[in-house]
Amino acid sequence: MRRSGPAAATVLGDDTVAHDLSWRIRNSSSVIDILRSRAEHEGDRLACAFLEDGDEELNSLTYGSLDRQARTIAGHLLDQGAVGERALLLHPPGLEFLAALVGCLYAGVVAVPLYPPKLNRRDARLIDVSRDAGARFALTTSSVRAGLDRAFRHSPELAGLRWIAPEEIPPDPSPEWSGGYRSLDPNSLAYLQYTSGSTRTPKGVMVSHGNLLANVADIERGFRHGDDSVAVSWLPHFHDMGLVWGMVAPVVLGFPCYFMAPAAFLQRPLRWLQAISRFGATHSGGPNFAYDLCTQRITSEQKEGLDLSRWAVAFNGAEPVRKQTLDQFARAFASCGFSPTALCPAYGLAEATLKVTTARRGQEPACFLASARALGGGRVTEAAESDSDSDVKALVGCGGPEPGTNVLIVHPETLLACAPDEVGEIWVDSASVAKGYWNQPEESTFVFQASPAGDTGPGRFLRTGDLGLLRDGELFVTGRIKDLIIIRGRNHYPHDIELTAQNTHPALRVDGGAALPVDVDGEERLIVVQEIDRHHHHEAEKAVALIRSAITQDHEITPYAVVLVRQNGVAKTSSGKIQRSACARAFLEGRLPIVYEWRESPVTAGEATDIRMRSQEEIEAVLSQKISSSLSISPLEVDVSQPFSSLGLDSLRTLTFLGEIEIWLGRKLSPTLFWNYPTISDLAAHLAEAPPGRAPAEDGRD
C-alpha cells in the first residue's frame, strides 16, 4: 500500500529549519565545523548507510561514529606529517571512503578522490594523476591494498606512496590530536577533483573548504531539504556529483543518505527505485541515461511494488538533459506515485565545485522549442509550426542562478555579452567557482579569470566551455565549444580515443580519424571514423574488431559504430585539422566513402528465458549468443577464452548481461564477478560451480 506521505510544509522544510541551516553554513569555515557540531549534539542520529549490492543494508554511520572514525584517521595522518600533502583516496564504494575524506579534511590533507585500480592491470590514469598531484600518501582498504602488489611492479610511482588502510589504525586518537580541533581556513584546499577524460593531461580542480560550503548552500536553496529529507545515491563517489551532493551535502544539511555501488545500479536499475521506495527517499537523481535505463528495463510487474510518492527532487544533470527522457520517465512511473513536478534538471561542472543552476523544487521543468537551424547559426528563434521534426530542438531549462551566482552568456571570440536572441558561452561567477587547476597557472588564468570585453577589473568569471542562452532568467544549455564527448555522465576527449584507435593496427592512418558524439534515439553515442591504407582494405574487418576492443578496454565505453573509410575520407581543414562536426554530418547523411562499417545491434534489456542455467556449457552458450547478437557477429566469432573487454563490451553492457544471468539462475551475483572472472569461460565455470541461494563472494571465493 502506498504511504500518504507527510504534509507538504514538512517535506519542504519550514523557515526555522532553513534559517538554522543558513546560519550554520554562514558561521562555519569548513564542513568539519558542522560535523563537529552534529557529532556533539546529534551524535546518535543516522548519517549514512551502505546498501550491499543495492539491497541489504551492510553498515551505517551515525554523526558520532563518522566523527570518531574521521578523527582517528586525521590523528594518524598528523603523526605521519601529512599536513598540506596530497593523499589519493582509492576506496571501493562504501562508507570507508567518506570517513577517509572527512579524516583528510580534519587533518588539513588535500584529498584526491579516485576509483581504485582494477587488479592485475596497469592504470595509466591513476599513475598520471598521482604524478601530477605530487601525492605522497594513499588511503584505501586493506583488501584493495593487498591486491595491488602486481600493479606496483609496473609502477614505481604507486609503489613509492605511503599506503594507509584506515581500518588498521588503532582507534585511540594520537596524543598530538588530543590537543583539540583547529578551525580551517576557508581559502585552503579541501581536495583536488580530477576531471574525467584525457589521461595524458590530467587536470585537478582545486576546491577549497569555502567553495565546498558555498556550493552546498547553493544546492540547499534549490532543493530545499527538510528535517525529514532522505537521500538515495548510486553515484560514483569520486565524481563531483556523487561526492558533493551524495556525501558532503547530507552531512552538512543533516539528512540521512543511503548509498549503493554504481555497479549495483547498472546491473539492475530496479534497485535504485526500490531503495527510494523502501526508505521513503525525498531526494535522488543522476545523469540522463539513468532515467532512460529505468524506463527501458523496469517491467510493469516490477513497478507494482514501488512507492515513489515521497520523491520530491529527482535531479538530472552531468550530461545533456533531454525532454523526451523526462516525459517518458514521468509517464512510466506515474502509477508508482511519481510526480512530474519532482523532475529537476540541473547544470554544473567540477570547476564550479558542482552546481551552477537547478530547476526549482516543485515546478515542472521549463521547455523551449527552438529552431535547430537557427541554433546552428548561433541564434535563438522559436520553432515554427511548419518546421519539420528535424528542424526543432527541445531545450530543457536548468533553472536560474541563485542569489550570489552571476551567469553571463558571452560570445566566445569577441568576449562581448550576447544579446537575448544569441547563443554564447556560459560564464559563471560565484563563491563556488574553484581556485583553478593544480600546477597549471596559464590554463587557470584563461579558464578561471575571464573578463568580458570592456570590463577593466580583475577577471573573475569561469569559462565553462558550454554553450547556452538565458531566457526569462532560465538557463538553457545548447551544446559545447570544447571537443568533448559525454557518455553516461563521463567526459571523454576525442583525441584520446582517436589515438587509441590508430594504434591498434598498422593499416590505420595516423591523424586520419575522428571520434564523434552522435545522437542515437535521444542518447549521445560514440562513432569512430577512421581512414585505412588503400593496400590493406582486406584487413578492415580485423582492424574494426581491434578498434572496438581497445576503446572498450582503455576508455570503458562501447562505440555505437566504427567506420573505416578510404584515404582522405575524413574531413579536414586546409591545415590538416580534423573537422569532427563535418564528419558527423557525413555519417548521419550517409556520405562517407566507406570501406567497412560495423554498427551495434539493438539490445532488448531484461529479456526473460525459461531456462535456468546450471551447467558451464549452457551458460557459455547463452552468454555467447547474447554477446554475438549485441555485437552483430556470429556466435562462432565469440572466443570464450578472451576477456569481455576485448570483445568490445563496456561496463554497462557487461553488467546488464550479469543482471540477466541473475534472473536465469535465480540468485544474486556480485557486480565484481566480471573483474574476478574476466572471460566467458571463467565466469561460466564459476557460476556452474557456485552454490545457489547467495551471491558469490566478491573476492571470487565461495
Side-chain angles (χ1 to χ4, degrees):
M1 179 181 295
R2 182 171 297 125
R3 292 184 294 269
S4 60
T10 305
V11 175
L12 293 175
D14 58 28
D15 292 339
T16 302
V17 172
H19 174 77
D20 176 63
L21 291 171
S22 176
W23 182 88
R24 285 198 189 203
I25 292 174
R26 285 201 313 271
N27 290 275
S28 301
S29 63
S30 72
V31 170
I32 299 303
D33 290 342
I34 296 177
L35 175 59
R36 290 291 299 129
S37 176
R38 293 202 183 281
E40 181 178 353
H41 301 290
E42 312 167 69
D44 293 333
R45 280 187 58 205
L46 175 67
C48 48
F50 182 66
L51 306 177
E52 177 70 6
D53 293 335
D55 299 316
E56 301 295 330
E57 186 175 326
L58 180 63
N59 51 36
S60 62
L61 289 172
T62 63
Y63 291 108
S65 59
L66 172 59
D67 184 63
R68 287 190 295 273
Q69 288 189 25
R71 285 191 289 117
T72 297
I73 295 169
H76 186 76
L77 289 169
L78 290 174
D79 287 344
Q80 299 294 314
V83 177
E85 298 288 347
R86 274 73 61 204
L88 307 182
L89 302 189
L90 298 170
H91 296 73
L95 301 182
E96 295 85 358
F97 169 81
L98 178 59
L101 172 68
V102 178
C104 287
L105 299 182
Y106 251 122
V109 174
V110 180
V112 184
L114 295 168
Y115 194 79
K118 294 179 181 178
L119 303 185
N120 302 326
R121 282 185 59 183
R122 183 181 186 276
D123 192 323
R125 174 173 169 77
L126 172 59
I127 295 169
D128 287 345
V129 168
S130 177
R131 184 186 299 119
D132 184 79
R136 289 185 54 215
F137 296 84
L139 281 70
T140 189
T141 63
S142 56
S143 60
V144 171
R145 171 64 180 84
L148 289 176
D149 289 338
R150 184 171 177 182
F152 291 162
R153 290 201 293 269
H154 301 289
S155 171
E157 296 93 341
L158 298 182
L161 294 171
R162 189 173 301 177
W163 289 82
I164 298 172
E167 67 264 37
E168 298 176 359
I169 301 173
D172 293 331
S174 68
E176 184 177 353
W177 183 251
S178 64
Y181 164 66
R182 59 185 179 82
S183 185
L184 295 163
D185 181 354
N187 292 315
S188 63
L189 289 188
Y191 60 90
L192 297 179
Q193 180 73 69
Y194 275 86
T195 55
S196 56
S198 176
T199 58
R200 293 176 297 166
T201 55
K203 291 192 290 189
V205 178
M206 298 188 291
V207 179
S208 71
H209 289 277
N211 293 148
L212 191 55
L213 273 183
N215 205 250
V216 171
D218 207 52
I219 290 170
E220 167 60 20
R221 293 187 188 103
F223 287 173
R224 301 176 65 193
H225 305 84
D227 274 347
D228 68 338
S229 293
V230 177
V232 166
S233 176
W234 57 267
L235 300 165
H237 56 275
F238 51 90
H239 283 173
D240 51 356
M241 188 186 294
L243 177 65
V244 178
W245 178 85
M247 290 197 160
V248 176
V251 171
V252 172
L253 301 175
F255 57 90
C257 186
Y258 295 86
F259 306 101
M260 69 180 70
F265 161 69
L266 295 174
Q267 185 179 354
R268 297 191 69 187
L270 176 63
R271 289 170 171 154
W272 178 31
L273 302 193
Q274 284 178 327
I276 291 172
S277 176
R278 175 184 173 190
F279 298 107
T282 55
H283 294 71
S284 193
N288 208 70
F289 87 92
Y291 295 91
D292 286 332
L293 285 182
C294 290
T295 301
Q296 295 162 5
R297 296 188 186 172
I298 296 178
T299 66
S300 299
E301 292 75 17
Q302 291 169 333
K303 293 175 188 176
E304 292 178 359
L306 296 177
D307 176 7
L308 307 180
S309 59
R310 291 201 62 206
W311 196 0
V313 172
F315 59 85
N316 184 329
E319 62 183 12
V321 180
R322 305 183 189 278
K323 184 177 186 299
Q324 181 182 17
T325 293
L326 301 180
D327 293 344
Q328 289 178 344
F329 185 87
R331 285 196 301 268
F333 295 95
S335 62
C336 305
F338 182 80
S339 171
T341 60
L343 293 166
C344 288
Y347 170 71
L349 63 167
E351 285 81 353
T353 304
L354 174 62
K355 176 196 169 184
V356 174
T357 64
T358 63
R360 279 283 179 175
R361 175 176 175 167
Q363 299 177 359
E364 290 198 40
C367 181
F368 170 50
L369 298 180
S371 165
R373 187 182 303 274
L375 284 176
R379 311 296 297 183
V380 183
T381 305
E382 287 196 46
E385 292 185 4
S386 58
D387 287 343
S388 64
D389 290 343
S390 61
D391 290 333
V392 177
K393 184 171 183 178
L395 302 177
V396 176
C398 293
E402 303 288 351
T405 297
N406 187 15
V407 174
L408 289 182
I409 306 298
V410 178
H411 192 287
E413 296 177 1
T414 67
L415 305 188
L416 292 169
C418 289
D421 64 345
E422 290 181 318
V423 173
E425 185 179 13
I426 301 169
W427 285 19
V428 181
D429 174 29
S430 78
S432 296
V433 172
K435 304 175 77 65
Y437 294 123
W438 177 259
N439 281 341
Q440 296 193 33
E442 293 184 4
E443 182 78 358
S444 295
T445 298
F446 178 79
V447 174
F448 290 87
Q449 299 177 25
S451 293
D455 188 339
T456 58
R460 65 185 191 278
F461 281 93
L462 165 69
R463 303 173 190 251
T464 68
D466 294 308
L467 296 171
L469 60 100
L470 284 169
R471 181 180 172 88
D472 298 327
E474 185 105 5
L475 178 64
F476 293 82
V477 182
T478 63
R480 293 185 289 276
I481 297 174
K482 52 196 175 187
D483 282 334
L484 197 62
I485 300 169
I486 303 179
I487 294 179
R488 300 199 296 273
R490 290 190 60 189
N491 298 343
H492 301 272
Y493 291 87
H495 52 268
D496 287 347
I497 297 173
E498 291 158 5
L499 184 63
T500 296
Q502 290 159 16
N503 286 337
T504 60
H505 195 284
L508 302 176
R509 294 172 61 83
V510 176
D511 297 326
L516 316 166
V518 174
D519 189 295
V520 179
D521 296 329
E523 179 184 3
E524 189 158 297
R525 300 297 306 275
L526 170 66
I527 311 297
V528 177
V529 179
Q530 171 64 48
E531 294 177 3
I532 184 170
D533 186 272
R534 66 169 60 91
H535 302 297
H536 294 271
H537 286 187
H538 62 283
E539 297 185 78
E541 184 175 357
K542 178 181 178 181
V544 164
L546 292 172
I547 289 172
R548 289 173 29 234
S549 173
I551 291 173
T552 302
Q553 291 190 72
D554 293 354
H555 304 278
E556 297 189 348
I557 51 176
T558 299
Y560 169 76
V562 177
V563 184
L564 297 187
V565 297
R566 295 195 301 269
Q567 290 180 211
N568 301 317
V570 171
K572 301 175 186 177
T573 65
S574 57
S575 61
K577 184 178 180 180
I578 300 295
Q579 292 183 306
R580 296 188 178 93
S581 59
C583 289
R585 288 195 301 272
F587 171 82
L588 294 172
E589 295 171 5
R591 294 187 288 103
L592 291 172
I594 296 174
V595 174
Y596 183 86
E597 177 179 7
W598 171 89
R599 291 200 193 196
E600 177 187 274
S601 292
V603 176
T604 303
E607 291 177 350
T609 177
D610 293 332
I611 303 174
R612 281 185 167 269
M613 303 303 143
R614 288 291 179 256
S615 71
Q616 177 178 347
E617 292 75 15
E618 288 174 315
I619 298 175
E620 283 186 3
V622 170
L623 280 175
S624 297
Q625 187 278 325
K626 285 188 169 293
I627 290 172
S628 66
S629 176
S630 170
L631 301 180
S632 301
I633 59 178
S634 166
L636 298 176
E637 297 180 60
V638 178
D639 188 340
V640 298
S641 66
Q642 292 299 309
F644 289 103
S645 58
S646 71
L647 297 171
L649 295 170
D650 61 13
S651 57
L652 174 59
R653 187 60 54 81
T654 52
L655 287 167
T656 297
F657 290 149
L658 189 61
E660 295 176 359
I661 296 296
E662 272 194 330
I663 297 173
W664 295 332
L665 292 175
R667 67 179 192 268
K668 292 181 182 179
L669 301 176
S670 169
T672 63
L673 284 178
F674 275 112
W675 295 318
N676 296 324
Y677 303 96
T679 71
I680 292 176
S681 179
D682 290 341
L683 179 59
H686 174 72
L687 293 178
E689 296 173 1
R694 59 190 178 92
E698 289 200 7
D699 61 2
R701 299 186 301 270
D702 293 322

